[in-house]
Amino acid sequence: MLLALAAAALAIAVYGGALGHDFVTWDDPAYVQENLPVQQHRYGELMRRIVCLNYHPLTMLSLALDAGPPLSPRRFLATNVALHGLNTLLVFGLAWLLSRRRAWVAFLAALLFGLHPLHVESVAWISERKDVLYAAFFLAAAIAYLRYLDSRAWPWLAATFGLFSLSCLSKGMAVTFPGVMVLLDLWKARPLGERRAVLEKLPFLAVSLVVGWIAVDVQAGGNLHGLLLRTDPRAHALAAAAPFTLLQRLGFASYGYAAYLVRFFVPVGLSAFYAYPEPAAANQLQYQLAPLFVLGTLVLAAWDLRRSRLLFFGLGWFLVNVVLVLQVLPVGAAMMADRYTYVSYVGPGIALALGIARVADRHRAGRALWGAGFLFVALLAPLTGAQVRTWRDTDALWSNVLRRQDGPPLAYVARGTWRGRHARLGEARQDLERALALGYTGADAYLGLGIVLGSQGRADSALAMFGRALASDPGGGMIYFNRALTWLQIGRPDSALADLDRAEPLLGAQAAQVHAPRGYALLQLGAPARAIADFDQAIAANGADVASLFYRGTSRLRLGDRPGAAADFRAALALDPGHAGARAALRSLEAGPR
């Protein structure tokens, strides 16, 4: 037990470096920062809501539990790290049972899992809560099933089913669990054709099929015939990143399989984003030879089934848990992702620890072999710490991607957009223009560049960029919203009002931010009563802010409501005592006739 706790403590210590990190703009806004149901703890709604093309209600509920005022990334990251520590304990328990209660085997397997740098993405990225949460239920289900195989007591099978179901509700990847059950049957030398062995898996297969059906429908842009709630009805993920042939996609999938296995032992060159090659490079030798590597490992695993079963178990666990994300059918724009190793590396880690133990039991050099195993773990820890630091904020994350690869345009867009929001306008413009020069045509690059140009006072150029963004994405609510702000900047409230009215139904959960600028536009157009209605809604939705209070006071003054105007000006001054406009307006009111 002390070794298990030591492994978990070491994992928490190494990954604890993430606790001071910021949110990143990659999915964190959709999951937390701009997700009002999460922030307002609307648990019933979260049970139905689709987020970033995923239906994982338990993940969303867990994020809501961490969302307390003030909204801080530390609470979310602390939960991720704690779950990773728990998962390290669970890997220890699983390895302990598989090795017939050999503590040092379990300790090494747990360390290989808990300290591996490819798991950083799953732990240090708030949006990957789904990984650490589903893994906890998944590993607990595997332990419960092993206990069932040893005792044949039905409560253990019921516990396995319950934990598996919770895992599926945390992330759809848990549908691979029936394959893990078969692997554990084979490890225990249980006949697969045994009637009971077949029947007991049918409920698991049924749940996997249902969850898989939901995932395919959601990824294709559906909402399960209205049963679920979509945040972006226009989004879908099942689309090819480039016009690759089936053979080329099989080459990429095989390359990903090989790269994951190689990086288990040599975890270098890690990145948050692995871009597909350019079409002209799709037939390079590594992609053509990769299927042979896959075939070779499968033959080796099959050969080992009637021998040690170590290779069969390690490679089988890996394949079962990675096969669905090898991108034979492309989902998204990345060819690989480190997070896909979080559960799939459990099998190779346990197999390696067991292999060392078996060799050590038969040879005098066993202690040296154990030493080599723990030395390998010791070398992993600093690599993991360094990888954790690459996730400290959006700029560090995408700068690391750009150091590792030859400039994927998406990385320039993400970093440039973040730099623009943090007033690093020159760098932001350089990044966004670089993305466009590389052939990127997404609306987000034009939108980001338009915002930067507007902030630099180049309104005409900004409007041109927003126009190009709308040509790429005519339904982009944020494009209309930001163009409206530019219209206001140059004194065109009529055009701003039209864009804000277009933006509101397209912004979904962010629609409330339309009210304040629309109130200002209406005030400029001589409609103070309508302006007050918008300022009221802005304050109700977002809380009182100086600008909304000041302009609502101005609107009330134009309608002759002097007490209401004075109250707003005083409230504005309470928030910003140096606000010259509110102070002058209040002084004028107090000096004038009552």
Side-chain angles (χ1 to χ4, degrees):
M1 187 61 181
L2 289 177
L3 288 177
L5 293 174
L10 287 170
I12 289 172
V14 171
Y15 279 85
L19 296 182
H21 290 185
D22 198 358
F23 292 106
V24 296
T25 57
W26 194 13
D27 286 354
D28 283 356
Y31 274 92
V32 177
Q33 292 169 283
E34 298 171 1
N35 194 318
L36 291 180
V38 165
Q39 295 178 31
Q40 297 172 358
H41 307 115
R42 289 163 18 199
Y43 299 118
E45 183 176 341
L46 291 173
M47 288 297 296
R48 298 179 56 210
R49 185 165 287 277
I50 298 165
V51 180
C52 292
L53 300 170
N54 289 289
Y55 177 63
H56 35 36
L58 285 188
T59 292
M60 301 312 301
L61 292 177
S62 77
L63 290 171
L65 290 173
D66 285 336
L71 194 66
S72 167
R74 187 179 183 88
R75 293 179 61 174
F76 298 93
L77 290 166
T79 300
N80 278 17
V81 172
L83 283 169
H84 183 60
L86 172 62
N87 291 337
T88 302
L89 283 175
L90 291 170
V91 170
F92 184 100
L94 181 62
W96 189 67
L97 291 174
L98 289 170
S99 64
R100 297 182 179 179
R101 295 167 171 76
R102 298 190 62 169
W104 286 101
V105 170
F107 184 52
L108 179 57
L111 290 176
L112 287 168
F113 173 84
L115 301 181
H116 207 286
L118 266 81
H119 294 162
V120 169
E121 184 169 295
S122 297
V123 183
W125 186 11
I126 291 170
S127 297
E128 276 308 302
R129 169 68 58 82
K130 50 187 175 286
D131 257 12
V132 289
L133 187 61
Y134 110 87
F137 293 121
F138 194 98
L139 293 168
I143 291 172
Y145 187 65
L146 276 176
R147 297 300 301 270
Y148 166 73
L149 291 178
D150 288 337
S151 66
R152 299 301 173 93
W154 71 264
W156 282 114
L157 185 62
T160 303
F161 183 77
L163 290 164
F164 160 67
S165 300
L166 293 173
S167 189
C168 287
L169 292 172
S170 303
K171 186 176 182 178
M173 274 293 295
V175 298
T176 61
F177 187 75
V180 168
M181 295 174 73
V182 172
L183 285 172
L184 295 175
D185 283 347
L186 291 170
W187 183 258
K188 291 287 190 177
R190 184 188 190 190
L192 296 182
E194 180 184 294
R195 176 181 174 83
R196 183 175 177 179
V198 173
L199 291 177
E200 69 194 16
K201 292 179 180 61
L202 293 181
F204 294 84
L205 289 170
V207 170
S208 290
L209 289 173
V210 170
V211 172
W213 169 56
I214 293 172
V216 170
D217 182 72
V218 167
Q219 292 273 312
N223 61 1
L224 207 64
H225 306 289
L227 296 176
L228 304 180
L229 299 173
R230 296 196 65 87
T231 56
D232 185 353
R234 299 175 295 119
H236 63 88
L238 297 177
F244 299 120
T245 67
L246 177 59
L247 285 177
Q248 288 171 330
R249 292 202 300 271
L250 288 172
F252 300 151
S254 301
Y255 176 81
Y257 172 99
Y260 291 138
L261 281 180
V262 169
R263 284 178 175 160
F264 177 81
F265 297 99
V266 189
V268 296
L270 306 187
S271 173
F273 186 82
Y274 301 97
Y276 281 94
E278 294 296 324
N283 294 317
Q284 289 181 348
L285 189 61
Q286 66 263 35
Y287 304 124
Q288 295 182 349
L289 294 180
L292 296 178
F293 178 88
V294 176
L295 181 61
T297 61
L298 295 180
V299 170
L300 187 62
W303 171 83
D304 184 60
L305 177 59
R306 296 185 180 278
R307 292 168 177 81
S308 73
R309 284 177 293 169
L310 287 177
L311 289 172
F312 178 82
F313 177 80
L315 290 171
W317 180 293
F318 171 76
L319 179 61
V320 163
N321 287 291
V322 83
V323 67
L324 295 180
V325 289
L326 287 177
Q327 304 293 63
V328 176
L329 292 175
V331 177
M335 183 171 63
M336 300 172 3
D338 291 352
R339 61 187 178 275
Y340 296 150
T341 69
Y342 193 71
V343 168
S344 62
Y345 272 6
V346 171
I350 292 176
L352 178 60
L354 278 167
I356 288 175
R358 289 189 184 183
V359 173
D361 289 345
R362 298 173 185 174
H363 298 279
R364 294 180 179 178
R367 289 185 178 178
L369 197 57
W370 277 112
F374 286 107
L375 176 62
F376 177 58
V377 167
L379 294 173
L380 290 180
L383 295 175
T384 301
Q387 186 64 10
V388 166
R389 289 190 289 275
T390 68
W391 283 86
R392 63 183 178 272
D393 58 33
T394 300
D395 189 78
L397 177 68
W398 292 108
S399 293
N400 181 66
V401 171
L402 290 167
R403 281 194 298 271
R404 300 296 187 189
Q405 300 174 56
D406 187 20
L410 178 65
Y412 283 111
V413 174
R415 189 176 70 173
T417 301
W418 184 88
R419 287 177 168 178
R421 291 175 182 172
H422 288 76
R424 294 165 60 178
L425 301 181
E427 295 171 296
R429 183 175 172 184
Q430 186 177 29
D431 275 347
L432 294 164
E433 289 179 342
R434 176 62 176 158
L436 296 175
L438 288 170
Y440 190 85
T441 58
D444 48 351
Y446 295 119
L447 171 60
L449 189 53
I451 294 171
V452 168
L453 291 168
S455 299
Q456 292 180 325
R458 301 183 59 185
D460 290 343
S461 298
L463 292 171
M465 287 298 112
F466 294 137
R468 295 177 72 177
L470 286 170
S472 177
D473 180 13
M478 288 304 298
I479 306 171
Y480 284 113
F481 177 78
N482 282 281
R483 190 171 71 171
L485 299 183
T486 305
W487 289 127
L488 288 173
Q489 181 183 343
I490 62 174
R492 292 278 302 276
D494 53 341
S495 298
L497 183 61
D499 273 352
L500 290 166
D501 287 342
R502 293 188 189 102
E504 186 173 18
L506 299 172
L507 286 175
Q510 301 177 64
Q513 63 187 306
V514 164
H515 295 301
R518 186 163 62 192
Y520 181 71
L522 289 166
L523 178 60
Q524 298 303 304
L525 290 169
R530 292 175 60 195
I532 289 172
D534 266 305
F535 289 129
D536 285 344
Q537 292 185 71
I539 292 169
N542 306 314
D545 68 277
V546 173
S548 293
L549 288 167
F550 174 72
Y551 288 118
R552 187 175 69 177
T554 303
S555 301
R556 285 175 167 171
L557 189 57
R558 291 190 183 180
L559 290 173
D561 180 7
R562 296 170 63 86
D568 277 344
F569 294 144
R570 290 192 185 97
L573 286 169
L575 294 174
D576 179 10
H579 194 285
R583 186 168 299 281
L586 187 59
R587 186 180 299 116
S588 176
L589 277 172
E590 291 172 344
R594 296 183 180 275

